[in-house]
Amino acid sequence: MKKLLFIYNPNAGTGTLKPKLSDVLDIFTKGGYEVTVYPTQKKRDGIEKMSSCKEEYDLIVCSGGDGTLDEVMTGMRMCSYDAPLGYIPAGTTNDFASSFGIPKDIIEAADTAVNGVPFACDVGRFNEDYFVYVAAFGLFTDVSYETKQSMKNILGHLAYVLEGAKRILNIPSYKVRVEHDGEEIEDEFIYGMVTNSRSVGGFKGIIGTDVVFDDGEFEVTLIKTPKNPMELNDLLGAIMLRQINPERMYSFKSGCVKFRSMVEIPWTIDGEYGGSHEKVIVRNERRALSIMVKQEIAAGLSVERNAEIREK
C-alpha cells in the first residue's frame, strides 16, 4: 500500500478543514494510501517535521495557509525529499492555490492532491532559505505576519486591508542596488517583489499575464519612491489598473537577482517574516518541486504550452 503523510495547521484560516477532516482522510484512503497525520504545533513545525522525516512516503499533502505550504516545501528541499506535494488551501489568502488552479473547496482540493498529476514548478532560494512564490520588501509586506491570526480568522482578507491602512501615511523608502543578468539598477524604492505567481496578496493581475511556473525565471517588480503628490497619483493609478508604469516601476524577468542596501531591510517570504538583510541573493531552482494539480490545468502552467500559445 502506498504511504501518505498529511501535515496540517489546525489554526489556519477560518477553521474550514476541521469539520471535513474525516472526509479528507477518507478520500486519501480511497485513493489507495496508508495515511499518517501530523497537526503542526508551533511555527516552523512543518519544516522540522519534513527535515527530520526518515520514512519514505509516496505523497506528502499539507493543509493550511501559504505559510504552512512554505514550511513543508522548505523542509522537503532541506533534506532533498522528492515526493510529490499535494496542497489543500485553508488559509486567509491562498495565493499559491489560486495561481495553480487548486480548488478552494476542501474536498475538491483533497481529491486533486491524490488523483491529480504532478507538475514540476520552480521554487525560490532566498540566501539560505526557500520560498514558494514570493519574496518581497517594503510597503505593507509586514502586514500578513504582524496581523494576529484571530483577526485573520474573523475578518479574512479585510484584516490585511485594515492593518495596512494604519501605515499609509508612514511609507518607508529604501535605497537599493539591484543586479541581474549583467545589469545594475540603483534607486529609491518603497516596494520590491520577486515572484512566481499570478496572484500576490489576494490580488490577481498586478504582475502581468505572461507568467509561467517552470521557466527558470522569476517576475521582478520594483516600485520607485514617489517624490511628489503627482508621482504618487500616477503610481496609485497604475496599481489600480494593474499596469506597469515604466516611469514609476521596474519590471523584468530573471533567474538570479542580487539586492544590496545600506541598512537592513525587513523581507517577507510567502507571507511570513523572512528576517532583515543588507544583502540578499534570490535564485530560481527550476522545476524543483512537484505539486499535484488537476490534469486539465497542468498544461497551461508550463513554459512549453505558453510558447505554443504565443506562436499561434
Side-chain angles (χ1 to χ4, degrees):
M1 202 173 194
K2 295 179 293 184
K3 293 183 177 182
L4 183 156
L5 174 61
F6 180 43
I7 301 174
Y8 74 96
N9 180 355
N11 299 312
T14 55
T16 52
L17 176 67
K18 287 182 182 179
K20 297 181 179 179
L21 188 56
S22 61
D23 294 327
V24 167
L25 298 179
D26 186 56
I27 289 171
F28 293 165
T29 304
K30 283 184 168 63
Y33 289 94
E34 177 185 322
V35 185
T36 300
V37 181
Y38 183 81
T40 57
Q41 303 297 302
K42 60 185 185 300
K43 187 176 177 63
R44 298 183 67 84
D45 204 13
I47 296 176
E48 293 178 17
K49 178 63 178 176
M50 282 311 311
S51 59
S52 63
C53 186
K54 304 299 182 185
E55 192 168 355
E56 292 188 7
Y57 291 96
D58 300 283
L59 178 65
I60 310 296
V61 180
C62 67
S63 182
D66 291 333
T68 302
L69 174 68
D70 177 278
E71 286 191 9
V72 174
M73 181 278 297
T74 296
M76 292 177 71
R77 295 302 301 147
M78 288 173 64
C79 64
S80 301
Y81 208 104
D82 60 359
L85 176 64
Y87 179 44
I88 301 174
T92 307
T93 304
N94 304 311
D95 284 312
F96 183 87
S98 176
S99 292
F100 280 76
I102 297 172
K104 294 180 180 179
D105 180 82
I106 296 291
I107 302 303
E108 287 185 39
D111 182 74
T112 299
V114 293
N115 297 313
V117 296
F119 172 77
C121 67
D122 301 343
V123 298
R125 192 75 187 262
F126 179 92
N127 288 345
E128 299 305 313
D129 207 342
Y130 293 90
F131 66 94
V132 178
Y133 74 98
V134 62
F137 70 86
L139 188 64
F140 301 154
T141 52
D142 61 344
V143 168
S144 62
Y145 59 79
E146 287 194 358
T147 305
K148 292 182 179 179
Q149 185 63 52
S150 58
M151 188 177 179
K152 294 181 189 178
N153 293 348
I154 295 169
L155 298 176
H157 188 70
L158 180 60
Y160 295 108
V161 178
L162 292 175
E163 189 68 24
K166 298 177 185 176
R167 306 153 193 267
I168 194 66
L169 296 177
N170 186 25
I171 301 175
S173 177
Y174 304 101
K175 187 173 183 178
V176 184
R177 186 166 72 247
V178 183
E179 299 174 34
H180 73 97
D181 307 296
E183 295 185 24
E184 187 174 301
I185 300 167
E186 188 165 350
D187 215 323
E188 292 271 348
F189 300 107
I190 58 169
Y191 182 76
M193 63 179 176
V194 182
T195 61
N196 194 37
S197 177
R198 292 172 183 165
S199 172
V200 174
F203 298 98
K204 297 181 180 180
I206 63 173
I207 299 155
T209 55
D210 188 23
V211 178
V212 290
F213 302 99
D214 63 344
D215 60 355
E217 292 187 314
F218 294 119
E219 284 67 42
V220 183
T221 305
L222 304 168
I223 300 180
K224 300 179 187 180
T225 304
K227 297 180 174 60
N228 53 59
M230 185 175 295
E231 289 188 2
L232 179 59
N233 247 8
D234 288 348
L235 177 60
L236 292 175
I239 293 172
M240 291 299 292
L241 294 173
R242 297 177 173 84
Q243 296 176 345
I244 297 297
N245 182 334
E247 294 183 4
R248 306 285 171 253
M249 308 175 189
Y250 296 94
S251 179
F252 56 89
K253 292 175 178 283
S254 181
C256 181
V257 189
K258 299 179 181 179
F259 299 84
R260 295 177 184 271
S261 57
M262 297 297 292
V263 297
E264 289 191 342
I265 298 177
W267 284 74
T268 179
I269 301 175
D270 293 334
E272 301 294 330
Y273 180 55
S276 294
H277 309 271
E278 290 181 18
K279 298 179 182 179
V280 167
I281 300 177
V282 180
R283 295 185 177 90
N284 184 294
E285 293 195 354
R286 190 177 188 195
R287 297 178 176 174
L289 175 69
S290 290
I291 189 76
M292 299 297 289
V293 300
K294 288 176 176 280
Q295 186 164 6
E296 61 269 26
I297 295 291
L301 301 173
S302 70
V303 63
E304 288 86 359
R305 176 56 178 160
N306 278 260
E308 290 174 12
I309 292 171
R310 283 194 294 272
E311 287 176 5
K312 292 178 181 178

